[in-house]
Each structure stands twice: as structure tokens, then as C-alpha cells.
Amino acid sequence: MTVPTETPNPLLTPSELPYQLPPFAEITVAHYRPALEQGMAEQRAEVAAITADPEPAGFDNTLEALERSGTLLRRATAVFSNHVSSDGDESLRALSEELQPLLSEHQDAIMLDRALFARVDAVHAELDELDLTEEQRELVRRWHRDMTEAGAALDEDAQQRLREINSRLAVLSSRFQQRVVAAMKDGAVPVTDEAELDGLDEGARTTAARAAEAAGHPGGWLITCTNYTNHPWLARLHSRPLRQRLFEAQTGRGGPGPHDTEPLVLELVRLRAERAALLGFPDHASVVTAAGTARTPQAVRDRFDPMARAVAANVAAEKQALQEEVERHCTETETEPFALRPWDWAYYTERLRQRRYALDLDGLRPWFEAERVLTEGVFAAATLVYGLTFTERTDLRGYRDDVRVFEVHDSDGSGLGLYLLDLHTRDTKNGGAWMNSLVLQNRLHDERPVVVNNLNVSPPAPGQPTLLTLSEVTTLFHEFGHALHALLSDVTYPRFSGTRVPRDFVEFPSQVNEMWIQHPDVLARYARHVETGEPLPAEQLARLGEAATFNQGFLTAENLASALLDQEWHALPAGTEITSVDAFEAEALARIELDEECVPPRYHSRYFAHVFANSYDARYYSYLWSEVLDADTVAWFDEHGGLSRENGDHFRRELLSRGSSRDPMDSYRAFRGRDPEQGPLLARRGLA
């Protein structure tokens, strides 16, 4: 695909817009391939110049030169990858599948370059004698470690096989993501009788009607699949047959048929194990954890295997309570009792929650109007804690007309960066929620951050406000925590910027930001009724507190099951033959004692895009691992007076601003004064 000569490629030169915001109005799909190809060529030439330098290897002519390389490629890749994940139609995703092997090969060409590694190794050997800052020392250590673990020291035959594996893994991961997205679209559940939708409010019904019309079925309704196993509407639908259809559609994704992911999963796992063996590791999980804060798979299992047993006991007690709720409901409605099934759990959980605490979570939505949650909740908390202010820039365009752009100012009024919000779901967007960096903060190139938050909130009916569930409020605060990590970064080198930290640390700052959701000073500002402006009633707030550990067995189990299932897949040594994804998963869940049918993993293997497409392979434990740090941090804030600029500035100075310019656990200790303790997490989840 070529670009007409009369159309300059806007990706080839730095943007002249504020903060180098990409000129989205000028960028077309046709610009990506030539920009990426030129970016790769330029970086290879830059690396060749480093290795050809006749001067002895030093920090400036080797490590800093490496950090300066690849500017065009970094710029083009950031825009391209964001486009694919946020608004990728079939042609764009096909282009991504074509380019991923080329990008993988390019990465290998650098990381496996023996001449380059020799120079890095020489600087690393003299590190103690060099007059460098601590961040510069960390840069030397990081490049040396990453190149070693990539295989730079291997012989030519082993490196060639690594290149082949890495290229194939890039193809498989891209293909897995495409099949998952297609399966979500094709798995949508049609409804022709509106009576089946009893329990859904008008907004949800309108969303389903619009989905049906968009799919070419006007006059009906279509319930689209969500990223994770349990669809949120399972808690609201009174029709048990429809709940079953919806649950089976959710869990059937990636099964036999046109979007079958089983062969992709099996090949991904096999190749990752082979790659680990080439690098001298017993399994892929060992490769991954060595570069994280956990260090070893055993450390992960030591922390979470005992928790799994405690969670299983909580789940059993919750299941018994829900079975009693089923029988109570059947008695009230004079219907035949039945055994609780997985599509019943969320529905009867909400019935029990309402009866026990008089708390209807879905009924809270009118108090969570999206615009107010954003400006008076998410933004206001960042103002109170960090002194940041936000101004919408309607003169700047996002990559779609409905993507909003905000300028972020620091407490002294100086410009800090840009924040983009892409709130609503669509067929071309990946499932789930995430943060992307379009520009990384770094002093080397004098660049300030530009970040995007993506969510998948159902759009409202025309002219109506977007109302969020409490879960969606949590997601918005969480993803904004990632954005803060990038926006508040203050490092010299791009490699260390913001969220470019180990996967088992990256979720920690985002989880910390969730603490402000129910803080009285924040909640009072944003939790106001969309029609009356009245604050959330005090009794509702009290009930939220009382119900804090309600259903935590289920919520912990579904996450922990996914985390340990991921570990089981990636603990397989090279040469292990697995022929059935479903059989392996069932055996693994039984081994970790989380095989309760009514509490499936948050992601079954066949649609577990985190680990088979999105770089969380052997890293999904990171969410719970980070939550240990998060809960311990919340305890620190409580011990030091809670919400205050002084506390926020301390957290920003010692942790958020540092990225990975020093060992993240050293940053944690500098902030907390000690290593993290697990007690606050166990108490939070009712497992103490």
C-alpha cells in the first residue's frame, strides 16, 4: 500500500500541534505502512552507526544513543497500535497482522545484535567505575538485562530459531485478538420478545434495540457480548432461559467454528515454552517473572495458592446462601426449586444484596452520570490530591469525533500534557478498558505526555445522559490511575517513562486511584442525581460500606482462577504435548482448587486475550499482586490523614514520577518506608 506523492505522510515528521498530539485529521490507514517501514529502517541505521563507532563503548555513544534511536518508529507505532485497538475495522486489523511479524523481526534485529550487545556489555562491566547518575546506571542495567534475556548472547543457530519463534508469536497473538473480537460480535444474543428483557431499564433496552438495528435486525433486540465471562446484565434479567443463553454465548466464544482459538492457544503455549528453553529457563513463567517484581513463579504461587484455598471456602459459603435465596424466591413465586447454575449467580447475588442490605447497585446509576463522574469525580480528585487542573480543548481533534481532548495543567499552572477520553463501546473497539500513551514523557527529547483512556460503556439513547454502573465508575477511576502514572512521569529516558514498569507493578498506581471513589470529599461532588441534583443518600452510602465484603469470595475467585490458570499454562516445559484447551483448563482449575462450576474464571482460555494477545502472558497475576501494594498504600494514606496535597505529593514524588528509572520496589519502599504487607488486602476482601 503506497501513499500518493501529492499527500505528505503526517507521521514522518513531528506534529506541530500542542504537545505533539498526532494530527489525526490528516492521518489515513495508507500512511501507516510506509511510516513504520521508514521508522524501522531509520532505527536500524542508527543502531548500525552505534556499532560502527570506532570509539570505545561509553554511556553517551552507546546507551544514550540507543535511547535516541527509533523516534519515528516510536511515534508511528503509538498512533497505529492505538488505532487498531480503539477503532480497528477489518482492513486495519488485517494490516496489523501483516505488520506484526515485521515489527517483531525489527525488534529481534536490535535485541539480538551481537556487536551492539558487546558494547552494552562493555559499559555494564565498567558500571561501578563510571561517573553516572542513578537513572543512567539503571539504563545500563536495563539494556544489559533485556538484551541478555532476549538471547543476545546465544549462538547463531539459537538466535535464528528465536527470530522464527518471535515472528510466529506476533502473528498468532494478532490473529487471536482478531478472532476474539469477531467472536464477540457474532456471539451477540438476539431477542425477539421484549418480555424476555424484563429487569432491564429503558436505557439498556434502547442499547439492545440500537445494536439490533445496526446488525440489520430492526424491530428486535441484540445483547452484545462483553470482554469477560459474566455479562453485567445477568444480574438484572428476570428470564432464566435468556440468562442461560447469554451466559452460554459469553463462554462459548472462541469455541469450535469460524473463530476457534484452540489451535492458536496450543501453538502459542508450545512456542513460548520452546523459547524459554532456548533462553535457559525451565518455562515461560520463569522468563516473565524474572523481569518483574515477583522474580520467580514460585513467589507467585507462594502468595496465591494459600489464598485460593481460603477463597474456595468463602465461595462455598456464598453458594449455600444463594441456593437458599433461590429456594426462597421459588417459594414466593410458587415455582419449582432448582439447583443454582452459573447464569443464576449474579441474579441471586443482587436479590440477596437487596434483601440483606437494601442495596440495589443498578438502582444507583442515576447518581453516576458520566460527565459529572469525570469532571467532579475523577478530575476533582486529581486536583485535590495532586493539584492538577483540566481544560477541554475543543480546538483539538481526537482520532474520532467522539473522542474528547483535555489539557492538563500542573499546580503551578504550567502545561503538563494532554488527556484523551474514548468512553463508549463499538464493534471496532477491543473489549475491556485500557490506557495508551501516544507521546511518552521524557527529557531526552523534551516530550510531554499525551495519553488515552478507553472504556466500553454502552452509549445512551439520543439526547439522554450516559449513566454508569458503580463498576464502570470504578473502571474510569482505575484507568485514569494509569493516565496519572503517565502524566506525572518525570524521567529523562523514554524507556523509563510512566507506565513502562514491570507488568506486576503497572496495575498498582491505577488501583490506588480507586480509593477516592467513595471518599466523602469526592463522592459528595460527583454522586448527584442526574435529574434532581440531590446527593447520594447517606443511608445508601452506609449500605455500600456494610456490603463491602459481600460476594468477595466470587469476585476474588474469578480473578484468582484466571491468574493461576495463566500460570498453569505457562509453567509447561518445552516438549509438553497438550491436545485440548478445555481439558487442560478443567484439570488446572481442579489442581488449584477453584473448579466450582458456578464461579468460572473471569476469562476462559479460549478468549483470554490478556495472556494470548495483550502481553499479560504469565503476568495476569499482576492485578492481585499489585492489589497487595494498593491495599497497603491505602492503609498508609489512612494512617497519614487521608486525602491531602501533602500525601499526594509524597506519593507522586517517590513513586508516580519515577516510572522505572529505579527499581519499582525501591520506589515503593521510599514511599512506604518498608516492604508491602498482605494484611490490608486480606481484610479488604474478607479473607483475614
Side-chain angles (χ1 to χ4, degrees):
M1 187 180 296
T2 59
V3 180
T5 56
E6 67 271 19
T7 306
N9 190 328
L11 291 169
L12 298 182
T13 55
S15 170
E16 296 182 358
L17 293 173
Y19 303 95
Q20 298 186 42
L21 176 72
F24 294 113
E26 303 171 20
I27 297 170
T28 68
V29 173
H31 291 128
Y32 287 129
R33 182 188 288 275
L36 290 167
E37 289 178 343
Q38 183 170 326
M40 288 186 280
E42 285 186 7
Q43 189 173 27
R44 291 194 190 192
E46 291 162 342
V47 170
I50 295 171
T51 59
D53 189 340
E55 294 295 318
F59 179 84
D60 291 343
N61 68 7
T62 302
L63 280 305
E64 186 160 302
L66 271 172
E67 283 296 291
R68 290 187 181 280
S69 73
T71 301
L72 168 57
L73 181 60
R74 186 169 63 249
R75 179 170 63 243
T77 301
V79 180
F80 177 61
S81 61
N82 181 76
H83 196 169
V84 173
S85 62
S86 302
D87 196 22
D89 60 17
E90 290 183 7
S91 63
L92 191 60
R93 292 183 185 277
L95 177 62
S96 176
E97 184 169 341
E98 292 174 20
L99 291 175
Q100 288 307 318
L102 300 180
L103 292 167
S104 174
E105 290 165 11
H106 171 74
Q107 181 73 3
D108 284 346
I110 296 172
M111 301 303 288
L112 299 178
D113 187 321
R114 282 199 186 81
L116 179 63
F117 181 64
R119 293 182 68 89
V120 172
D121 191 46
V123 179
H124 185 263
E126 299 176 350
L127 189 56
D128 291 341
E129 285 75 48
L130 298 177
D131 183 19
L132 301 176
T133 67
E134 187 49 46
E135 185 174 352
Q136 290 172 328
R137 291 176 180 279
E138 185 63 19
L139 188 67
V140 177
R141 288 191 289 263
R142 186 68 56 80
W143 269 100
H144 189 268
R145 186 199 73 190
D146 290 353
M147 293 190 75
T148 300
E149 293 180 355
L154 297 180
D155 62 36
E156 184 58 39
D157 288 344
Q159 283 198 356
Q160 178 57 34
R161 180 55 184 154
L162 269 182
R163 289 186 176 93
E164 294 169 358
I165 291 173
N166 290 340
S167 179
R168 180 60 178 166
L169 287 173
V171 171
L172 294 170
S173 295
S174 177
R175 196 168 294 167
F176 185 93
Q177 181 67 64
Q178 291 183 39
R179 290 192 188 179
V180 168
V181 171
M184 287 178 66
K185 182 178 180 180
D186 290 358
V189 177
V191 177
T192 56
D193 182 358
E194 188 172 8
E196 283 195 286
L197 300 178
D198 191 20
L200 299 185
D201 61 19
E202 192 59 35
R205 294 181 189 219
T206 300
T207 296
R210 291 172 64 188
E213 185 172 359
H217 305 292
W221 298 265
L222 194 67
I223 304 178
T224 55
C225 291
T226 55
N227 199 37
Y228 38 84
T229 296
N230 278 285
H231 196 290
W233 289 2
L234 290 171
R236 300 156 64 183
L237 289 165
H238 296 322
S239 169
R240 191 167 187 247
L242 181 55
R243 293 203 305 270
Q244 181 175 353
R245 287 173 56 206
L246 179 55
F247 179 84
E248 290 175 347
Q250 290 278 109
T251 55
R253 289 171 291 156
H259 311 307
D260 189 358
T261 60
E262 180 172 68
L264 303 180
V265 171
L266 296 178
E267 189 175 358
L268 278 161
V269 170
R270 179 178 61 77
L271 289 176
R272 286 170 178 171
E274 182 184 349
R275 182 180 181 276
L278 283 171
L279 295 172
F281 289 89
D283 50 58
H284 182 66
S286 296
V287 178
V288 167
T289 52
T293 64
R295 304 302 186 203
T296 67
Q298 191 58 49
V300 177
R301 301 308 291 256
D302 287 347
R303 175 166 290 178
F304 293 128
D305 281 353
M307 186 182 292
R309 290 188 286 275
V311 167
N314 279 32
V315 164
E318 290 174 3
K319 183 180 180 182
Q320 179 60 36
L322 293 181
Q323 184 63 54
E324 292 170 3
E325 189 65 24
V326 168
E327 292 164 5
R328 181 180 293 105
H329 185 215
C330 290
T331 298
E332 292 171 357
T333 56
E334 298 181 348
T335 54
E336 189 70 25
F338 54 85
L340 188 79
R341 298 300 304 277
W343 48 85
D344 300 316
W345 190 288
Y347 182 76
Y348 284 97
T349 291
E350 289 313 305
R351 284 185 59 88
L352 183 57
R353 191 196 313 268
Q354 290 181 42
R355 191 171 59 78
R356 187 177 289 179
Y357 302 104
L359 183 62
D360 176 8
L361 291 183
D362 192 59
L364 299 179
R365 292 174 69 242
W367 278 272
F368 300 143
E369 191 268 317
E371 181 67 17
R372 193 172 188 103
V373 172
L374 176 68
T375 58
E376 298 299 319
V378 172
F379 287 171
T383 301
L384 292 169
V385 181
Y386 305 109
L388 308 183
T389 53
F390 303 82
T391 304
E392 186 156 14
R393 293 290 301 267
T394 55
D395 59 316
L396 298 178
R397 177 181 167 179
Y399 48 89
R400 286 175 53 98
D401 290 341
D402 54 348
V403 175
R404 301 169 67 184
V405 182
F406 298 85
E407 185 170 11
V408 187
H409 290 90
D410 212 339
S411 57
D412 61 1
S414 61
L416 194 63
L418 293 178
Y419 170 74
L420 282 65
L421 177 63
D422 186 351
L423 185 66
H424 292 116
T425 190
R426 52 182 169 268
D427 286 344
T428 53
K429 182 187 283 192
N430 288 354
W434 65 94
M435 187 279 284
N436 281 337
S437 285
L438 294 171
V439 181
L440 293 166
Q441 178 278 328
N442 67 92
R443 290 190 292 274
L444 187 67
H445 300 295
D446 192 26
E447 293 173 333
R448 287 174 289 175
V450 178
V451 302
V452 185
N453 269 170
N454 263 282
L455 280 77
N456 269 285
V457 175
S458 296
Q464 297 299 309
T466 298
L467 303 181
L468 305 180
T469 64
L470 180 57
S471 175
E472 289 167 338
V473 171
T474 302
T475 299
L476 183 54
F477 272 84
H478 176 99
E479 295 305 329
F480 190 74
H482 286 305
L484 284 172
H485 200 182
L487 288 165
L488 298 179
S489 176
D490 185 18
V491 300
T492 300
Y493 302 107
R495 169 170 289 252
F496 296 145
S497 184
T499 59
R500 302 188 83 178
V501 295
R503 281 287 188 186
D504 58 7
F505 195 84
V506 74
E507 297 299 335
F508 159 50
S510 57
Q511 290 169 337
V512 166
N513 201 54
E514 296 175 24
M515 83 167 81
W516 310 122
I517 294 171
Q518 294 189 41
H519 191 284
D521 292 347
V522 179
L523 189 73
R525 298 179 62 148
Y526 77 83
R528 292 184 172 271
H529 197 280
V530 65
E531 295 177 356
T532 67
E534 291 297 312
L536 185 68
E539 61 271 19
Q540 289 280 48
L541 183 58
R543 289 166 188 157
L544 279 172
E546 293 169 1
T549 59
F550 180 73
N551 201 42
Q552 279 296 324
F554 174 91
L555 296 173
T556 307
E558 66 166 359
N559 277 292
L560 191 53
S562 291
L564 294 179
L565 176 60
D566 173 30
Q567 289 295 303
E568 291 278 328
W569 274 117
H570 293 110
L572 296 173
T576 305
E577 286 298 323
I578 304 295
T579 58
S580 168
V581 166
D582 298 335
F584 177 86
E585 179 178 299
E587 293 165 3
L589 292 174
R591 279 195 297 274
I592 61 181
E593 301 180 42
L594 290 175
D595 55 342
E596 168 55 61
E597 179 200 24
C598 288
V599 187
R602 187 169 176 81
Y603 301 98
H604 280 296
S605 302
R606 287 178 178 268
Y607 50 89
F608 203 169
H610 275 77
V611 303
F612 295 121
N614 294 328
S615 303
Y616 271 83
D617 41 300
R619 299 171 176 91
Y620 194 73
Y621 75 91
S622 301
Y623 289 94
L624 280 171
W625 187 271
S626 293
E627 196 179 348
V628 172
L629 308 182
D630 156 37
D632 199 39
T633 297
V634 171
W636 180 91
F637 271 86
D638 289 343
E639 293 162 8
H640 291 78
L643 188 157
S644 72
R645 278 293 308 282
E646 181 181 4
N647 287 343
D649 287 347
H650 177 61
F651 188 57
R652 173 181 181 172
R653 180 176 58 254
E654 295 296 350
L655 203 141
L656 292 179
S657 68
R658 300 286 184 148
S660 58
S661 61
R662 66 180 176 191
D663 186 303
M665 290 309 298
D666 287 342
S667 293
Y668 185 83
R669 295 180 191 101
F671 158 71
R672 189 65 169 97
R674 58 164 172 76
D675 286 334
E677 295 179 354
Q678 195 164 337
L681 173 62
L682 297 178
R684 172 191 289 181
R685 289 187 170 262
L687 301 173

